[in-house]
Amino acid sequence: MWVLAGLIAAVMFVVRRIRRGGSKGSAGGGAAVLLLAAFGVALAQTIVLAALTVFARELDVSATGATWLLTAFMLASAVATPVAGRLGDLFGHRRVIVTGLALLLAGSVVSAVSTHLGSYTGIVAGRVLQGLSGGVFPCAFGLARQRVPAERLGGVVAALSAMFGVGGALGLVAAGPLVDVTGPAALFWLVAALALLALAGMIRVPSSSAPASPAGRVDLAGATLLAGTLVALLLAVSQGRAWGWSSPGIIALFGTAVALATAFGVVERRAAAPLVDLRLLIGPRLLTTNVATLVVAVGMFAAVTLLPLFVQTPTALGYGFGYSPARTGLLMAPMAVCMLLAAPLAARVSTARGTRAVFRAGAVLAAIALAGLGVLHEHIVEVVVWCALLGLAYGLAFASLGGLVVGAVGQEQTGAATGINTILRTVGGAIGSVLAAVIVASSATAPGRPAAESGYTTAFLVSGAIALGAAAMTAARGSVTTDPVEAIL
C-alpha cells in the first residue's frame, strides 16, 4: 500500500506545481503539466508487465497471448510517435499533446471496462488506443522549447527525458501491489486518472501564437511505409520466440520490414516535406546519439525483463527468491526512486561537464550494475543494491538524451528529432526484452524445462556489455559539433 501512497503523493506534488504555476500558461505550471503527461504515457507502457501472468489467468489466454497487452502498446506507440512529432512541428505541439492525452484516457477506460467484462480483445484494443499517446513525448519537448525560459530549459528537458525511465520503472513497482489489493482493472483506472489530470492541466496551457511550419503538410506515403516497417519489425521481434525464429512467418516479417524500410528511405529522399528528415536519423550531428539510444534501450529493457523473472524463480531450483508479483514490485522501488533522483543530478552535471559526459557516466554505471547482477545475486540485499545503481545509471542516460537531441537541431525540428529518438527507444526496448528471454530460455536443458541460473548470468553480462558499448559510441566527440547544453542555454 505504501507504494500506491507514494505514487499518489508524487502525482499530487505535480498537481500542486500546476496550480501554483500562477496565471494561465506560466512556465512553472506548463513544465509540471508536461512532466505529468510524459509520466502517464511512460507508466502506461509497462504497468501491465508485472501482471501478465494474472491477465493470462483471468482472461484464460496463453502466456504468449498475454504478452500482446505489452506488444500492442509498443506497436501503436512506435507508429504514432513520428507522425505526432511531425504534426506537432506543423500545427502546434499543444494540440497534438491534448489529442494524445485524450486517446490515453479513452484507451484506459476501454481497457478497464474490458477487464471487468473479461474481454481479451477489448483490452488489446484499449492498449492500442493507449499506445497512440506515444506522440506526447516528442511534442512535449517541442512545447517545452517554445514556452520554458532558456535558463530552465536544460533542467526541464532532462526531467522529460528521465520520465521515460521513471514512469516505466514505477509501472513495474505499482502493478504488483495494486493488482493484489484491487484487481487488474485498477491498473487501467490509475492511468485514466493520470491522463485526466494531465489533460485538465494541458487545457489551461495557451496555444502558441503560430505553428512552426504552417505551410507544411504531412507525408502520408512516408507515414504508411514507416508504420508498415515498424509493425513488421516489432511483430517479428516480439513473436520470434513464440513462432520460431526460422518459421516462414518470422522470415517473411523480417523481409517485409527490410523491403518497406528501403522504400521508405527512397520516398523520404524524394519528398518535398518528408515525415522523417533522414539527416535527423543518420546525419553526422545525430547518428551517434541515435545509435547509442537504440543500444542503451536494448540493455535497459533486457534488464527490466530479466529482474522480475529472476526474483520470481522458485528457490527449489537453487537460485531466485520465489517472490510474488507484489514483492517484485517492491523490489523495483529503489530503481524507480534512483531514476527520479537522477533527473536533477543530470541537469547539474550537464552544466558542468556537458551532456554527453552524463550519458557516458550513466551507461558505464549501468554496465557495472548489470555485471554485478550477473555475478553477485545470491542475497536479496545484493540485488537491491544493483537495482538502485541501475536506476541511477539509466536515469542519467535517459535524462541526457533529450538534451543531446534538442541541442543538435533547430527549434522547428524538435518534434521530429525527438520523435525519431523515442522510436529508437521503443524498438530497442522490444529487442532487449526478446534478447533477454532468448538467452535465458536457451539455458534450459530441454523444452519446457526451467531455465538454468547460468542463463540469467549470461543475459545480465551481455546486457552490461551492450550498455558499455553505448558509452563507447558517444566517446567520439566529432559526432556532435556543438555542446548541446551550450546550444540550449
Side-chain angles (χ1 to χ4, degrees), residues 384-472:
V384 170
V385 170
W386 297 128
C387 281
L389 183 60
L390 192 63
L392 178 63
Y394 280 115
L396 290 173
F398 279 141
S400 63
L401 285 174
L404 287 170
V405 174
V406 171
V409 299
Q411 181 169 324
E412 72 283 357
Q413 295 179 311
T414 301
T418 53
I420 292 171
N421 197 259
T422 304
I423 293 173
L424 293 173
R425 298 190 200 189
T426 302
V427 174
I431 294 173
S433 298
V434 172
L435 176 65
V438 168
I439 293 174
V440 170
S442 65
S443 67
T445 56
R449 299 286 297 173
E453 182 180 6
S454 61
Y456 286 97
T457 297
T458 301
F460 281 126
L461 292 176
V462 168
S463 299
I466 290 172
L468 195 60

Side-chain angles (χ1 to χ4, degrees), residues 154-180:
V156 172
V157 166
L160 281 172
S161 299
M163 283 300 106
F164 188 89
V166 172
L170 282 177
L172 289 170
V173 172
L178 198 57
V179 168
D180 281 356

Side-chain angles (χ1 to χ4, degrees), residues 45-46 49 70 74 164-165 168 295-307 394 398 425-434 436 463:
Q45 177 173 305
T46 61
L49 191 56
L70 178 64
M74 296 180 72
F164 188 89
V295 172
V296 80
V298 170
M300 175 183 178
F301 279 87
V304 169
T305 302
L306 288 171
L307 282 167
Y394 280 115
F398 279 141
R425 298 190 200 189
T426 302
V427 174
I431 294 173
S433 298
V434 172
S463 299

Side-chain angles (χ1 to χ4, degrees), residues 89-114:
D89 288 339
L90 291 176
F91 306 116
H93 299 105
R94 175 189 171 277
R95 185 181 302 176
V96 178
I97 293 173
V98 168
T99 302
L101 292 173
L103 288 169
L104 181 62
L105 175 59
S108 300
V109 172
V110 169
S111 293
V113 172
S114 298

